[in-house]
Amino acid sequence: MNYEVFSINIGKSETIEEGLDSAIKKTPVTGKVYVSSTIIQGDEQADLKYHGGPDQVLCVYTYDHYKHWENELNRKVDIPSFGENLTVKGISEEEVCIGDIFELGETRLQVSLPRQPCRVLAKNMKHDKFAKMVSESGYTGFYFRVLKEGYIEPGQPLVLIERHPQEVSISDVNKLHYTNQKDVELLKKVIGVKELKASLRESFQKRYDEILKTSN
């Protein structure tokens, strides 16, 4: 399956407010850029505790969600506004699964975890409750790790080349974060996906163990 990449986006770190730096404000590139195992050329990540690293090299957000947010906020929302490196048409959290493998240009990419909305996003959108709104909507976006480095450029499609056999979607993981936190069967299913970012999988394992312990 092929998806149209509306834009490839990069940004530099800047001060959002006193004590808060972020590279959430990104602009589309017009030419070829290199994607390494840790970062896309020209991009920066201000808070390495919560952003960046080998499991969070590229942030992806769906072009189709922008209309929803324009309706919710009753105003124009510029693209990109979610700090995403890739704005992609037609892709969804319900469809994309942890461990799915895609190709874009010379790169090979693997879905690693959902994006978790934070206060930086709320500040960027100038709406104090926006992170909560995104969490509740399920329109979070997600991250890629890089299996093969290489150049990408505007106009290239994002191509799904391998669906993960366990088919645990981004939406499934979001449910464990926000709405079905004690769903034992879903926890068990998600924990079994080794391609999920290790720290997140470990936190779900801990929750699963605690639920079983209290139920006995």
Side-chain angles (χ1 to χ4, degrees):
M1 182 175 290
N2 292 11
Y3 299 93
E4 179 184 347
V5 178
F6 178 80
S7 61
I8 300 170
N9 316 300
I10 59 174
K12 298 294 186 181
S13 178
E14 58 182 85
T15 300
I16 303 297
E17 62 177 22
E18 185 175 354
L20 182 62
D21 294 339
S22 174
I24 193 170
K25 295 182 183 296
K26 300 189 187 296
T27 56
V29 304
T30 56
K32 188 180 293 187
V33 288
Y34 191 80
V35 179
S36 74
S37 61
T38 57
I39 202 164
I40 179 173
Q41 178 185 347
D43 200 36
E44 290 184 353
Q45 292 150 344
D47 185 355
L48 295 179
K49 181 177 180 181
Y50 297 106
H51 302 99
D55 292 313
Q56 296 172 227
V57 180
L58 295 176
C59 181
V60 183
Y61 202 70
T62 303
Y63 172 90
D64 309 68
H65 292 342
Y66 275 89
K67 185 63 176 177
H68 169 83
W69 294 120
E70 288 181 342
N71 291 336
E72 286 290 308
L73 300 173
N74 196 30
R75 61 178 172 84
K76 175 70 175 174
V77 179
D78 294 329
I79 300 173
S81 286
F82 286 77
E84 74 266 25
N85 301 111
L86 303 176
T87 311
V88 181
K89 290 187 175 183
I91 204 164
S92 72
E93 290 83 358
E94 291 82 7
E95 179 185 4
V96 172
C97 297
I98 302 297
D100 283 356
I101 297 175
F102 291 79
E103 284 185 346
L104 177 59
E106 297 177 349
T107 67
R108 182 165 291 195
L109 312 168
Q110 185 176 55
V111 179
S112 54
L113 76 159
R115 184 259 189 86
Q116 289 185 259
C118 62
R119 67 186 181 116
V120 174
L121 179 58
K123 291 290 182 183
N124 191 49
M125 299 297 285
K126 298 180 173 59
H127 193 299
D128 290 342
K129 296 182 179 180
F130 193 70
K132 183 180 179 182
M133 291 169 66
V134 174
S135 301
E136 291 176 346
S137 73
Y139 294 165
T140 59
F142 60 93
Y143 286 103
F144 280 134
R145 63 170 62 93
V146 176
L147 302 181
K148 178 187 175 187
E149 300 180 351
Y151 284 97
I152 62 175
E153 60 183 311
Q156 295 173 326
L158 179 66
V159 183
L160 175 65
I161 61 170
E162 184 179 326
R163 175 73 74 196
H164 194 275
Q166 288 167 271
E167 297 190 0
V168 171
S169 70
I170 294 296
S171 289
D172 287 333
V173 182
N174 281 337
K175 288 173 186 175
L176 290 181
H177 273 307
Y178 309 118
T179 59
N180 296 75
Q181 297 175 333
K182 295 185 178 182
D183 187 327
V184 175
E185 290 305 313
L186 186 54
L187 276 168
K188 186 177 180 180
K189 183 179 179 182
V190 170
I191 291 165
V193 181
K194 63 182 179 60
E195 291 81 4
L196 181 65
K197 184 180 179 182
S199 60
L200 184 55
R201 193 171 71 251
E202 289 163 5
S203 70
F204 286 145
Q205 180 71 62
K206 183 178 179 181
R207 188 192 304 174
Y208 177 78
D209 294 340
E210 289 174 349
I211 292 173
L212 291 187
K213 183 178 179 180
T214 56
S215 64
N216 292 334

